């Protein structure tokens, strides 16, 4: 994830009572506004899939409003396979053309409880900016279990 002291494994432990989250307390803790927060999974090997689901049920106000989905067979990513803007749902289902890749990265740049485009305001309000209680990867008729 984009924050090293977060717990990305909680998003893929099949337990919606745990969650991956990123919390910022002040401007020295937050990335610049131009750097999106990201969450990445390793499927272990190349898999075919065409949909992901991000479930933020633990903190419904901490869902991504604007996000991009990238896929790759290495940890270098090119163009996004999907872009979502102005999302208003706590459960985000993102569909795209079938992809074959090992890694999936989701970048979020705006959140349900967002402090806006200017993260350079000090002090920042203390809250979780992004929360994922469950992350799922789907191919037609198949579920692929990821690891962080």
């Amino acid at each position: 994830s984009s924050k090293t002291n977060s717990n990305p494994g909680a998003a893929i432990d099949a337990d919606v009572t745990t969650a991956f989250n990123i919390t910022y307390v002040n401007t020295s803790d937050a990335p610049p506004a131009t750097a999106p927060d990201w969450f990445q999974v390793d499927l272990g090997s190349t898999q075919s899939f065409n949909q992901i689901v991000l479930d933020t049920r633990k903190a419904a106000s901490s869902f991504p409003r604007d996000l991009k989905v990238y896929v790759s067979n290495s940890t270098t990513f090119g163009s996004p396979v999907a872009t979502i803007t102005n999302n208003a749902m706590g459960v985000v289902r993102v569909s795209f053309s079938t992809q074959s890749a090992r890694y999936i990265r989701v970048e979020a740049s705006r959140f349900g409880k967002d402090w806006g485009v200017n993260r350079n305001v000090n002090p920042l309000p203390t809250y979780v900016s992004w929360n994922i209680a469950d992350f799922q990867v789907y191919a037609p008729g198949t579920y692929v279990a990821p690891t962080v």
Side-chain angles (χ1 to χ4, degrees), residues 92-144:
V92 184
R93 182 176 303 268
V94 183
S95 298
F96 39 82
S97 63
T98 299
Q99 303 292 311
S100 291
R102 177 175 173 171
Y103 298 94
I104 303 171
R105 177 179 282 211
V106 179
E107 292 184 352
S109 56
R110 199 165 60 94
F111 306 93
K113 202 175 197 184
D114 201 2
W115 53 66
V117 296
N118 185 2
R119 294 187 193 171
N120 299 316
V121 175
N122 201 2
L124 291 174
T126 301
Y127 61 83
V128 175
S129 66
W130 191 11
N131 194 85
I132 303 173
D134 197 32
F135 181 85
Q136 300 169 0
V137 180
Y138 291 95
T142 313
Y143 172 71
V144 180

Coordinates of all heavy atoms in Angstrom, one line a residue, residues 92-144:
V92 N -17.7 -0.9 -4.1 CA -17.4 -0.5 -5.4 C -17.1 -1.7 -6.3 O -16.1 -2.4 -6.0 CB -16.2 0.5 -5.4 CG1 -15.9 1.0 -6.8 CG2 -16.4 1.6 -4.4
R93 N -17.9 -2.0 -7.3 CA -17.7 -3.1 -8.2 C -17.2 -2.4 -9.5 O -17.8 -1.6 -10.1 CB -19.0 -3.8 -8.5 CG -18.9 -5.0 -9.4 CD -20.2 -5.8 -9.5 NE -20.7 -6.2 -8.2 CZ -20.4 -7.4 -7.7 NH1 -19.7 -8.3 -8.3 NH2 -21.0 -7.7 -6.5
V94 N -16.0 -2.9 -9.9 CA -15.4 -2.3 -11.1 C -15.2 -3.4 -12.2 O -14.5 -4.4 -11.9 CB -14.0 -1.7 -10.8 CG1 -13.4 -1.0 -12.1 CG2 -14.1 -0.7 -9.7
S95 N -15.9 -3.3 -13.3 CA -15.8 -4.2 -14.4 C -14.9 -3.7 -15.5 O -15.0 -2.5 -15.8 CB -17.2 -4.6 -14.9 OG -17.9 -5.2 -13.9
F96 N -14.2 -4.5 -16.2 CA -13.4 -4.1 -17.3 C -13.2 -5.3 -18.3 O -13.6 -6.4 -17.9 CB -12.0 -3.6 -16.8 CG -11.5 -4.3 -15.7 CD1 -10.8 -5.5 -15.9 CD2 -11.7 -3.9 -14.4 CE1 -10.3 -6.2 -14.8 CE2 -11.2 -4.6 -13.3 CZ -10.5 -5.8 -13.5
S97 N -12.6 -5.1 -19.4 CA -12.4 -6.2 -20.3 C -11.5 -7.2 -19.7 O -10.7 -6.9 -18.8 CB -11.8 -5.7 -21.7 OG -10.5 -5.1 -21.4
T98 N -11.6 -8.5 -20.0 CA -10.8 -9.6 -19.4 C -9.3 -9.3 -19.5 O -8.9 -9.0 -20.6 CB -11.2 -10.9 -20.0 OG1 -12.6 -11.2 -19.8 CG2 -10.4 -12.0 -19.3
Q99 N -8.7 -9.3 -18.4 CA -7.2 -9.1 -18.3 C -6.5 -10.4 -17.9 O -7.1 -11.2 -17.1 CB -6.9 -8.0 -17.3 CG -7.6 -6.7 -17.5 CD -7.1 -6.0 -18.8 OE1 -5.9 -5.8 -19.0 NE2 -8.0 -5.6 -19.7
S100 N -5.3 -10.5 -18.3 CA -4.4 -11.6 -17.8 C -3.2 -10.9 -17.1 O -2.4 -10.3 -17.8 CB -3.9 -12.5 -18.9 OG -5.0 -13.2 -19.4
A101 N -3.1 -11.0 -15.8 CA -2.0 -10.4 -15.1 C -1.8 -11.0 -13.7 O -2.7 -11.7 -13.2 CB -2.4 -8.9 -14.9
R102 N -0.7 -10.7 -13.1 CA -0.4 -11.2 -11.8 C -0.7 -10.1 -10.7 O -1.1 -10.5 -9.6 CB 1.1 -11.6 -11.7 CG 1.5 -12.0 -10.3 CD 2.9 -12.5 -10.2 NE 3.2 -12.8 -8.8 CZ 4.3 -13.4 -8.5 NH1 5.2 -13.8 -9.3 NH2 4.6 -13.5 -7.2
Y103 N -0.5 -8.9 -11.0 CA -0.7 -7.8 -10.0 C -1.8 -6.9 -10.4 O -2.1 -6.6 -11.6 CB 0.6 -6.9 -10.0 CG 1.8 -7.7 -9.5 CD1 2.7 -8.3 -10.4 CD2 2.1 -7.9 -8.1 CE1 3.8 -9.0 -10.0 CE2 3.2 -8.6 -7.7 CZ 4.0 -9.2 -8.7 OH 5.1 -9.9 -8.3
I104 N -2.6 -6.4 -9.4 CA -3.6 -5.5 -9.5 C -3.3 -4.3 -8.6 O -3.1 -4.6 -7.4 CB -5.0 -6.1 -9.2 CG1 -5.3 -7.3 -10.0 CG2 -6.1 -5.0 -9.3 CD1 -6.5 -8.1 -9.6
R105 N -3.4 -3.1 -9.1 CA -3.2 -1.9 -8.2 C -4.4 -1.0 -8.4 O -4.8 -0.7 -9.5 CB -1.9 -1.2 -8.6 CG -1.8 0.1 -7.8 CD -0.5 0.9 -8.2 NE 0.6 0.2 -7.6 CZ 1.7 0.9 -7.2 NH1 1.8 2.2 -7.4 NH2 2.7 0.2 -6.6
V106 N -4.9 -0.6 -7.3 CA -6.0 0.4 -7.3 C -5.5 1.7 -6.7 O -4.9 1.7 -5.6 CB -7.2 -0.1 -6.4 CG1 -8.3 0.9 -6.4 CG2 -7.7 -1.5 -7.0
E107 N -5.6 2.8 -7.4 CA -5.2 4.1 -6.9 C -6.4 4.9 -6.7 O -7.3 5.0 -7.6 CB -4.3 4.8 -7.9 CG -2.9 4.1 -8.1 CD -2.0 4.9 -9.1 OE1 -2.5 5.9 -9.7 OE2 -0.9 4.5 -9.2
A108 N -6.5 5.5 -5.5 CA -7.6 6.4 -5.2 C -7.1 7.8 -4.9 O -6.1 8.0 -4.2 CB -8.4 5.8 -4.0
S109 N -7.8 8.8 -5.5 CA -7.4 10.1 -5.3 C -8.4 11.0 -4.6 O -8.1 12.2 -4.2 CB -7.0 10.8 -6.6 OG -8.1 10.7 -7.5
R110 N -9.6 10.5 -4.3 CA -10.6 11.3 -3.6 C -11.5 10.3 -2.9 O -11.7 9.2 -3.4 CB -11.4 12.2 -4.6 CG -12.1 13.3 -4.0 CD -12.6 14.3 -5.0 NE -13.5 13.7 -6.0 CZ -14.9 13.7 -5.9 NH1 -15.4 14.3 -4.9 NH2 -15.6 13.2 -6.8
F111 N -12.0 10.7 -1.7 CA -12.6 9.7 -0.8 C -14.0 10.3 -0.4 O -14.3 11.5 -0.5 CB -11.8 9.4 0.4 CG -10.4 9.0 -0.1 CD1 -9.4 9.8 -0.2 CD2 -10.2 7.6 -0.4 CE1 -8.1 9.4 -0.7 CE2 -9.0 7.2 -0.8 CZ -7.9 8.1 -1.0
G112 N -14.8 9.4 0.2 CA -16.2 9.8 0.6 C -16.1 10.9 1.7 O -16.9 11.8 1.6
K113 N -15.2 10.8 2.5 CA -15.0 11.9 3.6 C -13.7 12.5 3.2 O -12.6 12.3 3.9 CB -15.0 11.2 4.9 CG -15.3 12.2 6.0 CD -15.4 11.4 7.3 CE -16.1 12.1 8.4 NZ -16.1 11.4 9.7
D114 N -13.7 13.3 2.2 CA -12.4 13.9 1.7 C -12.1 15.2 2.2 O -13.0 16.0 2.5 CB -12.6 14.0 0.1 CG -11.3 14.0 -0.6 OD1 -10.2 13.9 0.1 OD2 -11.3 14.2 -1.8
W115 N -10.8 15.5 2.4 CA -10.4 16.9 2.8 C -10.2 17.7 1.6 O -9.6 18.8 1.7 CB -9.2 16.9 3.7 CG -8.0 16.1 3.2 CD1 -7.2 16.4 2.2 CD2 -7.5 14.9 3.8 NE1 -6.2 15.5 2.0 CE2 -6.4 14.6 3.0 CE3 -7.8 14.1 4.9 CZ2 -5.6 13.5 3.3 CZ3 -7.0 13.1 5.2 CH2 -5.9 12.7 4.4
G116 N -10.6 17.3 0.5 CA -10.5 18.1 -0.8 C -9.2 17.8 -1.5 O -8.4 16.9 -1.2
V117 N -9.0 18.6 -2.5 CA -7.8 18.4 -3.3 C -6.6 19.0 -2.7 O -5.5 18.7 -3.1 CB -8.0 19.1 -4.7 CG1 -9.1 18.4 -5.5 CG2 -8.3 20.6 -4.6
N118 N -6.7 19.8 -1.6 CA -5.6 20.4 -1.0 C -5.3 19.7 0.3 O -5.9 19.9 1.4 CB -5.8 21.9 -0.7 CG -4.6 22.6 -0.1 OD1 -3.6 22.0 0.1 ND2 -4.8 23.9 0.2
R119 N -4.3 18.8 0.3 CA -3.9 18.0 1.5 C -2.8 18.8 2.2 O -2.2 18.4 3.2 CB -3.3 16.7 1.1 CG -4.3 15.8 0.5 CD -3.7 14.4 0.3 NE -4.6 13.6 -0.5 CZ -4.2 12.4 -1.0 NH1 -3.1 11.9 -0.7 NH2 -5.1 11.7 -1.7
N120 N -2.5 20.1 1.8 CA -1.5 20.9 2.4 C -2.0 21.8 3.5 O -1.4 22.8 3.9 CB -0.7 21.6 1.4 CG -0.1 20.7 0.4 OD1 0.5 19.7 0.8 ND2 -0.2 21.0 -0.9
V121 N -3.2 21.5 4.0 CA -3.8 22.3 5.1 C -3.4 21.6 6.4 O -3.5 20.4 6.6 CB -5.4 22.3 4.9 CG1 -6.0 23.0 6.1 CG2 -5.8 22.9 3.6
N122 N -2.9 22.4 7.3 CA -2.5 21.9 8.6 C -3.2 22.6 9.7 O -3.3 23.8 9.7 CB -1.0 22.1 8.8 CG -0.4 21.2 9.8 OD1 -1.0 20.3 10.3 ND2 0.9 21.3 10.0
P123 N -3.8 21.9 10.7 CA -3.7 20.4 10.8 C -4.8 19.8 9.9 O -5.9 20.4 9.8 CB -4.0 20.2 12.3 CG -4.9 21.3 12.7 CD -4.5 22.5 11.8
L124 N -4.5 18.6 9.4 CA -5.6 17.8 8.7 C -6.5 17.2 9.7 O -6.1 16.9 10.9 CB -4.9 16.7 8.0 CG -4.0 17.1 6.8 CD1 -3.4 15.8 6.2 CD2 -4.9 17.7 5.7
P125 N -7.8 17.0 9.4 CA -8.7 16.3 10.3 C -8.2 14.9 10.4 O -7.6 14.3 9.5 CB -10.0 16.4 9.6 CG -9.7 16.7 8.2 CD -8.4 17.4 8.1
T126 N -8.3 14.3 11.6 CA -7.9 12.9 11.8 C -9.1 12.0 11.5 O -10.1 12.0 12.1 CB -7.5 12.7 13.3 OG1 -6.4 13.6 13.5 CG2 -7.0 11.3 13.5
Y127 N -9.0 11.2 10.4 CA -9.9 10.2 10.1 C -9.3 9.3 9.1 O -8.3 9.6 8.5 CB -11.2 10.8 9.5 CG -11.1 11.6 8.3 CD1 -11.0 11.0 7.0 CD2 -11.0 13.0 8.4 CE1 -10.9 11.8 5.9 CE2 -10.9 13.8 7.2 CZ -10.8 13.2 6.0 OH -10.7 13.9 4.9
V128 N -9.9 8.2 8.8 CA -9.4 7.2 7.9 C -9.9 7.7 6.5 O -11.0 8.0 6.2 CB -10.0 5.8 8.1 CG1 -9.6 4.9 7.0 CG2 -9.6 5.3 9.5
S129 N -8.9 7.9 5.6 CA -9.2 8.4 4.3 C -9.7 7.3 3.3 O -10.4 7.5 2.4 CB -8.0 9.1 3.7 OG -7.0 8.3 3.4
W130 N -9.2 6.1 3.6 CA -9.5 5.0 2.7 C -9.6 3.7 3.5 O -8.7 3.4 4.3 CB -8.5 4.9 1.6 CG -8.8 3.9 0.5 CD1 -10.0 3.4 0.2 CD2 -7.9 3.5 -0.5 NE1 -10.0 2.6 -0.9 CE2 -8.7 2.6 -1.4 CE3 -6.6 3.7 -0.8 CZ2 -8.1 2.0 -2.5 CZ3 -6.1 3.1 -1.9 CH2 -6.8 2.3 -2.8
N131 N -10.6 2.9 3.3 CA -10.8 1.7 4.1 C -11.3 0.6 3.1 O -12.2 0.8 2.3 CB -12.0 2.0 5.1 CG -12.1 1.0 6.1 OD1 -11.4 1.0 7.1 ND2 -13.0 0.0 5.9
I132 N -10.7 -0.6 3.2 CA -11.1 -1.7 2.4 C -11.3 -2.9 3.4 O -10.4 -3.4 3.9 CB -10.2 -2.1 1.3 CG1 -9.9 -1.0 0.3 CG2 -10.7 -3.3 0.5 CD1 -8.8 -1.2 -0.7
A133 N -12.6 -3.2 3.6 CA -12.9 -4.4 4.5 C -12.7 -5.7 3.7 O -12.4 -6.7 4.3 CB -14.3 -4.3 5.0
D134 N -12.9 -5.7 2.4 CA -12.8 -6.9 1.6 C -12.5 -6.5 0.2 O -13.0 -5.6 -0.4 CB -14.1 -7.7 1.7 CG -13.9 -9.1 1.2 OD1 -12.8 -9.7 1.4 OD2 -14.9 -9.7 0.7
F135 N -11.5 -7.2 -0.4 CA -11.1 -7.0 -1.8 C -11.3 -8.3 -2.5 O -10.7 -9.3 -2.0 CB -9.6 -6.5 -1.9 CG -9.1 -6.3 -3.2 CD1 -9.4 -5.0 -3.9 CD2 -8.5 -7.2 -4.0 CE1 -8.9 -4.8 -5.1 CE2 -8.0 -7.0 -5.2 CZ -8.2 -5.8 -5.8
Q136 N -12.0 -8.3 -3.6 CA -12.3 -9.6 -4.3 C -11.9 -9.4 -5.8 O -12.1 -8.3 -6.3 CB -13.7 -10.0 -4.2 CG -14.2 -10.2 -2.8 CD -15.7 -10.3 -2.6 OE1 -16.4 -10.3 -3.6 NE2 -16.1 -10.5 -1.4
V137 N -11.5 -10.5 -6.4 CA -11.1 -10.5 -7.8 C -11.9 -11.6 -8.5 O -12.0 -12.7 -8.0 CB -9.6 -10.8 -8.0 CG1 -9.2 -10.8 -9.5 CG2 -8.8 -9.8 -7.2
Y138 N -12.6 -11.2 -9.6 CA -13.5 -12.2 -10.3 C -13.1 -12.3 -11.8 O -12.8 -11.4 -12.4 CB -14.9 -11.7 -10.2 CG -15.5 -11.8 -8.8 CD1 -15.5 -10.6 -8.0 CD2 -16.0 -12.9 -8.3 CE1 -16.0 -10.7 -6.7 CE2 -16.6 -13.0 -7.0 CZ -16.6 -11.8 -6.3 OH -17.1 -11.9 -5.0
A139 N -13.2 -13.6 -12.2 CA -13.3 -13.9 -13.6 C -14.7 -14.5 -13.9 O -15.3 -14.9 -12.9 CB -12.2 -14.9 -14.0
P140 N -15.2 -14.5 -15.1 CA -16.5 -15.1 -15.3 C -16.6 -16.5 -14.7 O -15.8 -17.4 -15.0 CB -16.6 -15.2 -16.8 CG -15.7 -14.1 -17.3 CD -14.6 -14.1 -16.3
G141 N -17.4 -16.7 -13.7 CA -17.6 -18.0 -13.0 C -16.5 -18.4 -12.1 O -16.6 -19.5 -11.6
T142 N -15.6 -17.5 -11.8 CA -14.4 -17.9 -10.9 C -14.1 -16.8 -9.9 O -14.2 -15.7 -10.2 CB -13.2 -18.2 -11.8 OG1 -13.6 -18.9 -12.9 CG2 -12.1 -18.9 -11.1
Y143 N -13.5 -17.2 -8.8 CA -13.0 -16.3 -7.8 C -11.5 -16.6 -7.6 O -11.1 -17.7 -7.5 CB -13.7 -16.5 -6.4 CG -13.1 -15.7 -5.3 CD1 -13.2 -14.3 -5.3 CD2 -12.3 -16.3 -4.3 CE1 -12.6 -13.6 -4.3 CE2 -11.8 -15.5 -3.3 CZ -11.9 -14.2 -3.3 OH -11.3 -13.4 -2.3
V144 N -10.7 -15.6 -7.7 CA -9.3 -15.7 -7.6 C -8.9 -15.1 -6.2 O -9.1 -13.9 -6.0 CB -8.5 -14.9 -8.7 CG1 -7.0 -15.1 -8.5 CG2 -9.0 -15.5 -10.1

